[in-house]
Amino acid sequence: MKIKTLTALLASFLAGLSHARAGLSEEDFRNPPAQARPAVLWTWLNGHVEDKQITRELEEMKAKGIRGAIIWDLGALTDPQKIIPHGPAFLGPESLGHIHHAMDEAERLGLELGMVAASSWNSGGPWITPDDASKKLLWSEVKVDGPREFSGVLPLPEKVGSVFQEMAVIAVPEAGETMVLDAKPDADGRLAWSVPAGSWKIMRFIMSNTDEELNCPSPNSSGPVIDHLSAKATQAHLDHILDRLLDGRKDFGPLTHLMLDSYEVRPAVDWTPDFLESFQTAKGYDARPWLPVLAGVTVASPELSKRFKHDYTKMVSDLMIKDHYAKSREILNARGLKLLAEAGHGGYARVDPLKALGAADIPMGEFWNNRKNWVTKEAASAAHIYGKTLVNSESLTGWQNWQEGPAAYKRLTDIAFCAGLNQITFHTFAHNPPSAGLPGYAYHAGEHFNVNSTWWDQSAPMLADMSRSSHLLQQGKFVADVAAYYGDDAPNLVPARRISPTIESQWEDDKCAHCGRDLPVDLSTLGNGYDHDYVNEEVLLGRMEFRGGKLMLPDGMGYRILVLPNREAISPEVLEKIGALVKAGATVVGRKPERSNSLRGYPECDDRVRALAAEIWGDCDGEKVRSHAYGKGRVFWNVPLDEILEGMGVAPDFTVEGMENGDRHIDYIHRATEEEDIYFVSNSSVERLRVNCSFRAVPGRVPSLWHPEDGSITPCHLYEESDGRVHLSLDLPPASSVFVVFGAGEGKDHLVEIGRRTYGSDLSGPAVEILSMDGGSLRVRAWLPGDYTFRTAKGRAGKHQQGEGASVREITGNWELLFPGNRGAPASVTMGELTDWTEHPDPGVRYFSGTATYRKAFDLTAGIPKTLYLDLGTVREVATVKVNGKDAGILWKQPYSADIAPFLKAGSNSLEVSVTNLWNNRIVGDLQSDADADITRTNLRNKFSAKSPLIPSGLIGPVTLRTPVDVDVKLE
């Protein structure tokens, strides 16, 4: 390693120590580092790209505050009119030239690049040989009666692949144990066997290639899916990709990682050449006599067959994690790259998802718009229990097709933030050469966020908001009171805490909202005020210990209780570890186990479980006796979780009035550094909510409010401390969020009450805002007329009789509305009152998509106030405001409001409001038009119809000028 590199690493390390000592950086919050900024899945549809447009798109990403892109070569699943050209084969000479151009340009711009490790996904390509292609186990059967000598051809199984190999021949009797036949079929499949008395089924088990190809590769890039249970196949696959990427280059430059997407290989009885040997080593018994279980045959007994199936699926999981996910990370790390993996329970997962996600450098989940596919909590739990900082997610996937704006995006990402997300990857940003038209090429699933979005030029504030939230949520450690052990089954799942609020779950409360399967652990009695992580066998056995009153992990995560699944069977090794934790002082909640869940060590394993359970649970039966002390700790059975925590003196971490009734529009997540507690509080409703919140207090820490929307940080002057908690009120606009940060403070006096008696009009905003509090005086901004009273924690009081100082004035009269050319709209129209464009009689206005500008003049006759807010009322979707030709900002969510006082002059003032809507309306208008030339062009045209609903658009108002009054109030 070069000296320069070592010096840089040392400087970075020392800077990190300095940052840790100094607490949270306000500057980093205002201007977040690259790691916190969103990236995009950069779809190169059909592999068709142009270098000039690659440069433009990367420059636009840089300008808007995106950290980089993940190149994703894949086919266009939806393109009925075949408008997207076919590009070159993935990683062929021409494709590689485009990738290298992207690498050069990203490096020039200081952007990060990644790449999906296949054309489409699941790993594979034309370079994969039959030996390294995916495998499955198949079987055929022949019925015979004995005793007699049998000589006959055993048929090949149906759907046998192009390459196959004999695995075993098993004789299955009507009753009794199966028999592994030493005799093997000859090359023609003929078997000679002396059949014992009775009726028998001869089963021939074959390992066969699946012949499965990549899901949707670009047209010239198809190839076999690899054997994901084979380290050799993983090595061959990634070596090919990495060697090609380095062809003609000295290093990977800005390329920092490869991505493995969700596992969507078709369901099969997964197999690999050395499966039987690996199984024998891991489980301690021969799998061959039990293979008929995989064909649906009961062997020995239903219970023992179930145990073998458990052992088999767990073996598949372990091999896939070891030889694909962990092996991929090993290969990439050796080359200086990282693995980003969506290895959870989406698609057709075969794995223990926490273990699989933990094997990646960066675990990745997903969340969809208006769909049930939400698995971000899973990736977050994996990151927390395996000591990883970043929780990435395939973000905003869906089929909304240009029907959502930035406020809707924020609403969903804030929900995902509360589940643990802290690094966004947009799904998707389609590459669009100019010839694609507008809105252009788009992948069939995704929110189509790219340079052709109508509001792309106004997207920077939304991206900055997301970046600031991500940055603070990357600080410190997640705070949770509960670790939920979800067993050692594979596949397994971590259920979503919440899903998209735009749909109602089709599942019951005891089912996973994502996939509809039974919940692995019952957390229904936990309540909304406590948070949790899921933990798996590997972490429980190898990383968890009890110390300092908590169940601790090596990286600093700690939990107060461990909750078990409600099952009679458990791994003896896990139960032994649970006993050791309880003996050391831990609190464990769950039923008393009765047997092992495996054939490993059977039947002695059952005796071991019963003996351990009797020792740990004692006479606790979950009915008459619901708890039992064991060593320094205690077990509970059939006791509500919140009741147990409260009995331990662990109060809810966060509560809000009304949340106890199940309303989750107000959600939260809590992280903590050594010096601060960081609460992210979100309002995902479409209404403004004023809520009274209560936080579990840390003595000596004082709250402040960190606003991700604009990067401002304001003291929290109004709060109350009682019963070890801090109580404060938050005024949260629709689809908004705020960080309540508790840090070191001077313990000054603060307000505990504000009273108001109004005698003027009411507004949707707050009545009074505390600007500062210093000693015996307050600086107050009052938005509504009225009498205000103030009381502090030390009993001091103040009063202000404001009179009519604050005011609100509606801007009425005609507005001139100007449209750009070549979009089907008239050059301009006059609007006597503000209305939705979709209600306008002119079809050019009704179906317009893009940016149109409202113009109007208004007078200031009473002088220029120090503060004057322009409130646009309802806007669909984004507005850019200019006052007297000066830029007053981009307004992208409610409240659509900005202080325009700095731009005003006495007398007449000009106001311009440029409003941008969505592509939906123009596409629908084109489908209704008889014109020869459509304004829009896209491969997703068939997703719309002439009867598709229009989306409200434009400046709908009312537009008002709000003048608050700033006053000083003396505290007595």
Side-chain angles (χ1 to χ4, degrees):
M1 184 179 289
K2 296 179 181 179
I3 297 297
K4 182 179 178 181
T5 304
L6 287 171
T7 303
L9 286 173
L10 179 60
S12 176
F13 174 71
L14 292 174
L17 289 180
S18 174
H19 178 79
R21 285 194 298 268
L24 296 178
S25 165
E26 296 184 7
E27 176 55 33
D28 282 350
F29 177 64
R30 283 188 287 268
N31 185 26
Q35 179 173 271
R37 296 183 180 275
V40 297
L41 272 166
W42 194 13
T43 50
W44 291 9
L45 292 169
N46 286 352
H48 172 67
V49 291
E50 295 178 6
D51 285 351
K52 185 176 181 180
Q53 186 68 5
I54 284 174
T55 296
R56 181 191 169 223
E57 289 176 354
L58 288 171
E59 289 176 344
E60 286 290 324
M61 292 179 205
K62 178 71 173 181
K64 298 301 183 291
I66 289 174
R67 83 170 178 279
I70 300 172
I71 296 170
W72 193 9
D73 180 281
L74 79 169
L77 281 176
T78 302
D79 187 11
Q81 295 179 308
K82 307 299 181 186
I83 71 171
I84 306 178
H86 292 189
F90 179 54
L91 295 180
E94 187 179 345
S95 166
L96 201 61
H98 295 309
I99 294 170
H100 285 171
H101 177 73
M103 293 167 71
D104 291 339
E105 292 295 82
E107 190 163 34
R108 174 178 68 84
L109 294 165
L111 293 174
E112 171 189 295
L113 275 189
M115 192 177 78
V116 175
S119 180
S120 72
W121 61 96
N122 286 332
S123 294
W127 51 86
I128 298 302
T129 65
D131 282 349
D132 291 331
S134 58
K135 310 289 194 299
K136 60 185 176 182
L137 188 69
L138 296 173
W139 53 86
S140 65
E141 58 184 59
V142 173
K143 293 181 179 179
V144 298
D145 293 323
R148 74 179 178 94
E149 295 299 318
F150 172 81
S151 179
V153 174
L154 301 180
L156 284 172
E158 293 183 7
K159 299 181 180 179
V160 69
S162 57
V163 179
F164 61 90
Q165 180 181 340
E166 302 286 347
M167 284 290 102
V169 178
I170 311 295
V172 182
E174 282 188 341
E177 300 296 328
T178 59
M179 183 184 301
V180 180
L181 302 186
D182 292 331
K184 299 290 183 185
D186 62 19
D188 297 324
R190 181 172 295 279
L191 173 74
W193 178 48
S194 297
V195 183
S199 295
W200 296 83
K201 185 189 300 180
I202 303 173
M203 302 190 72
R204 181 186 185 186
F205 287 89
I206 298 289
M207 179 183 69
S208 168
N209 280 26
T210 66
D211 290 344
E212 183 169 354
E213 301 271 306
L214 293 168
N215 270 25
C216 59
S218 55
N220 295 305
S221 307
S222 186
V225 170
I226 71 165
D227 178 356
H228 287 79
L229 279 61
S230 166
K232 172 177 169 291
T234 299
Q235 185 84 50
H237 175 62
L238 289 181
D239 279 351
H240 176 85
I241 292 175
L242 297 173
D243 289 346
R244 291 294 296 151
L245 289 173
L246 279 181
D247 188 9
R249 299 184 67 89
K250 63 179 177 18
D251 57 36
F252 292 111
L255 191 77
T256 61
H257 61 278
L258 294 189
M259 174 184 160
L260 298 176
D261 203 349
S262 56
Y263 189 79
E264 297 182 26
V265 176
R266 290 190 294 268
V269 178
D270 300 297
W271 209 256
T272 196
D274 60 355
F275 188 92
L276 289 172
E277 294 80 359
S278 297
F279 189 96
Q280 177 78 53
T281 300
K283 307 302 179 186
Y285 69 93
D286 185 2
R288 290 181 300 168
W290 299 91
L291 291 183
V293 171
L294 303 180
V297 176
T298 297
V299 175
S301 71
E303 170 60 27
L304 295 185
S305 294
K306 180 181 178 182
R307 293 190 189 205
F308 170 72
K309 189 68 177 291
H310 167 87
D311 290 345
Y312 162 76
T313 55
K314 189 174 177 182
M315 190 74 239
V316 169
S317 171
D318 287 345
L319 286 175
M320 189 175 292
I321 293 168
K322 176 176 71 73
D323 293 333
H324 183 57
Y325 292 113
K327 185 64 177 179
S328 295
R329 181 184 180 189
E330 174 192 318
I331 294 166
L332 293 174
N333 288 180
R335 303 255 200 147
L337 303 177
K338 292 183 177 181
L339 173 64
L340 171 68
E342 193 176 324
H345 84 281
Y348 302 117
R350 271 74 151 174
V351 294
D352 168 346
L354 292 175
K355 187 176 181 180
L357 288 161
D361 292 297
I362 306 172
M364 188 179 197
E366 63 178 307
F367 67 94
W368 287 49
N369 186 356
N370 202 39
R371 300 287 295 178
K372 64 184 179 61
N373 308 69
W374 282 65
V375 290
T376 299
K377 180 66 176 176
E378 192 169 75
S381 283
H384 302 155
I385 65 179
Y386 282 97
K388 303 173 190 299
T389 297
L390 299 180
V391 180
N392 202 302
S393 193
E394 172 192 308
S395 303
L396 296 162
T397 317
W399 289 298
Q400 293 300 93
N401 297 318
W402 300 293
Q403 296 181 60
E404 304 283 6
Y409 285 19
K410 175 175 171 58
R411 185 186 185 199
L412 294 182
T413 54
D414 279 357
I415 294 171
F417 282 142
C418 290
L421 172 71
N422 62 20
Q423 192 180 58
I424 291 170
T425 299
F426 278 99
H427 185 293
T428 58
F429 182 115
H431 173 79
N432 268 272
S435 59
L438 296 172
Y441 308 151
Y443 186 51
H444 79 291
E447 290 308 299
H448 318 322
F449 176 61
N450 63 1
V451 296
N452 284 358
S453 299
T454 52
W455 50 276
W456 172 257
D457 287 337
Q458 294 82 32
S459 64
M462 177 199 73
L463 293 168
D465 178 292
M466 294 175 176
S467 300
R468 295 184 188 108
S469 296
S470 295
H471 173 67
L472 278 194
L473 292 172
Q474 290 174 10
Q475 308 308 303
K477 299 291 181 186
F478 174 58
V479 175
D481 296 302
V482 175
Y485 172 60
Y486 72 175
D488 62 343
D489 291 335
N492 212 329
L493 65 98
V494 171
R497 290 178 72 242
R498 292 181 62 198
I499 60 173
S500 174
T502 58
I503 62 173
E504 293 185 8
S505 174
Q506 59 182 300
W507 314 116
E508 301 299 327
D509 290 341
D510 60 345
K511 306 290 184 182
C512 174
H514 167 73
C515 65
R517 289 161 54 193
D518 290 339
L519 301 182
V521 184
D522 181 7
L523 300 177
S524 60
T525 61
L526 187 58
N528 295 328
Y530 300 97
D531 215 334
H532 62 280
D533 271 328
Y534 278 78
V535 298
N536 60 348
E537 180 187 38
E538 182 178 57
V539 167
L540 185 59
L541 292 179
R543 292 174 58 82
M544 185 173 283
E545 62 177 335
F546 185 81
R547 54 184 167 83
K550 289 186 177 182
L551 293 151
M552 297 298 300
L553 300 178
D555 309 288
M557 282 298 305
Y559 311 92
R560 301 305 298 266
I561 63 175
L562 175 68
V563 183
L564 307 180
N566 185 27
R567 300 174 189 164
E568 296 178 352
I570 197 170
S571 156
E573 293 78 15
V574 166
L575 185 57
E576 186 173 351
K577 179 61 179 284
I578 289 170
L581 292 171
V582 177
K583 199 169 188 178
T587 298
V588 173
V589 185
R591 63 163 298 139
K592 184 179 184 178
E594 298 177 8
R595 60 180 178 273
S596 173
N597 54 4
S598 169
L599 280 178
R600 188 170 185 266
Y602 179 80
E604 291 81 5
C605 57
D606 285 4
D607 297 334
R608 184 180 172 195
V609 167
R610 283 190 287 268
L612 285 167
E615 187 177 346
I616 300 167
W617 270 260
D619 61 350
C620 181
D621 61 4
E623 295 181 2
K624 294 181 180 180
V625 180
R626 300 193 180 189
S627 71
H628 178 71
Y630 177 64
K632 297 179 181 178
R634 181 172 290 273
V635 293
F636 290 88
W637 181 2
N638 200 23
V639 179
L641 299 177
D642 55 355
E643 182 180 313
I644 294 170
L645 286 165
E646 289 173 8
M648 297 169 64
V650 182
D653 192 19
F654 172 83
T655 62
V656 61
E657 289 183 9
M659 197 169 76
E660 62 274 4
N661 64 9
D663 180 3
R664 297 292 292 183
H665 286 312
I666 302 297
D667 206 351
Y668 86 104
I669 190 169
H670 179 191
R671 295 183 71 91
T673 69
E674 291 186 3
E675 299 179 2
E676 300 100 353
D677 281 274
I678 305 164
Y679 288 87
F680 177 79
V681 183
S682 162
N683 171 24
S684 63
S685 79
V686 293
E687 304 293 334
R688 187 178 204 115
L689 297 178
R690 296 181 181 91
V691 291
N692 298 319
C693 303
S694 171
F695 302 81
R696 192 157 62 199
V698 174
R701 293 185 177 177
V702 176
S704 58
L705 304 179
W706 297 46
H707 304 277
E709 183 175 347
D710 60 5
S712 64
I713 301 170
T714 57
C716 182
H717 295 292
L718 177 64
Y719 63 95
E720 189 168 5
E721 296 175 294
S722 63
D723 302 323
R725 304 187 68 77
V726 173
H727 305 268
L728 57 89
S729 295
L730 294 175
D731 189 334
L732 298 171
S736 68
S737 54
V738 67
F739 286 91
V740 182
V741 177
F742 293 85
E746 300 178 14
K748 292 182 178 179
D749 196 9
H750 57 272
L751 293 172
V752 295
E753 181 183 317
I754 299 177
R756 175 171 66 94
R757 180 172 60 81
T758 63
Y759 52 89
S761 61
D762 199 2
L763 295 174
S764 61
V768 64
E769 179 182 353
I770 309 303
L771 301 178
S772 65
M773 182 174 178
D774 185 17
S777 65
L778 294 174
R779 184 70 173 167
V780 172
R781 175 169 293 167
W783 292 91
L784 298 178
D787 295 343
Y788 296 88
T789 59
F790 308 91
R791 186 172 63 85
T792 78
K794 295 183 178 179
R796 296 189 295 165
K799 180 186 291 187
H800 171 62
Q801 294 179 336
Q802 182 192 307
E804 297 292 344
S807 66
V808 56
R809 165 191 168 191
E810 183 175 354
I811 297 179
T812 58
N814 291 340
W815 293 77
E816 183 184 17
L817 178 56
L818 291 81
F819 293 93
N822 302 316
R823 288 292 179 91
S828 66
V829 297
T830 298
M831 302 190 80
E833 60 178 346
L834 296 173
T835 58
D836 182 349
W837 293 346
T838 66
E839 297 175 357
H840 199 278
D842 189 323
V845 176
R846 191 161 61 248
Y847 299 116
F848 175 77
S849 291
T851 300
T853 300
Y854 294 80
R855 287 181 179 171
K856 186 168 185 59
F858 64 94
D859 291 330
L860 284 181
T861 57
I864 302 173
K866 183 178 180 181
T867 304
L868 188 148
Y869 272 78
L870 173 71
D871 191 324
L872 299 180
T874 299
V875 174
R876 298 295 296 269
E877 297 291 324
V878 186
T880 302
V881 176
K882 288 186 177 180
V883 177
N884 295 323
K886 297 178 181 178
D887 187 0
I890 296 170
L891 307 179
W892 58 279
K893 60 178 292 295
Q894 294 188 33
Y896 291 91
S897 179
D899 183 4
I900 61 172
F903 314 109
L904 296 173
K905 62 183 181 180
S908 179
N909 290 264
S910 66
L911 173 63
E912 286 190 4
V913 182
S914 297
V915 176
T916 306
N917 69 338
L918 306 168
W919 276 119
N920 176 87
N921 295 356
R922 186 64 264 171
I923 297 173
V924 174
D926 283 353
L927 289 169
Q928 293 183 358
S929 172
D930 295 328
D932 294 333
D934 287 336
I935 294 160
T936 58
R937 183 174 188 261
T938 175
N939 58 299
L940 298 187
R941 184 183 175 96
N942 66 315
K943 300 296 183 182
F944 299 80
S945 78
K947 295 182 179 180
S948 293
L950 299 182
I951 295 175
S953 299
L955 176 58
I956 301 171
V959 177
T960 56
L961 297 174
R962 296 169 53 196
T963 307
V965 175
D966 293 355
V967 295
D968 291 312
V969 178
K970 186 72 174 177
L971 294 172
E972 302 297 340

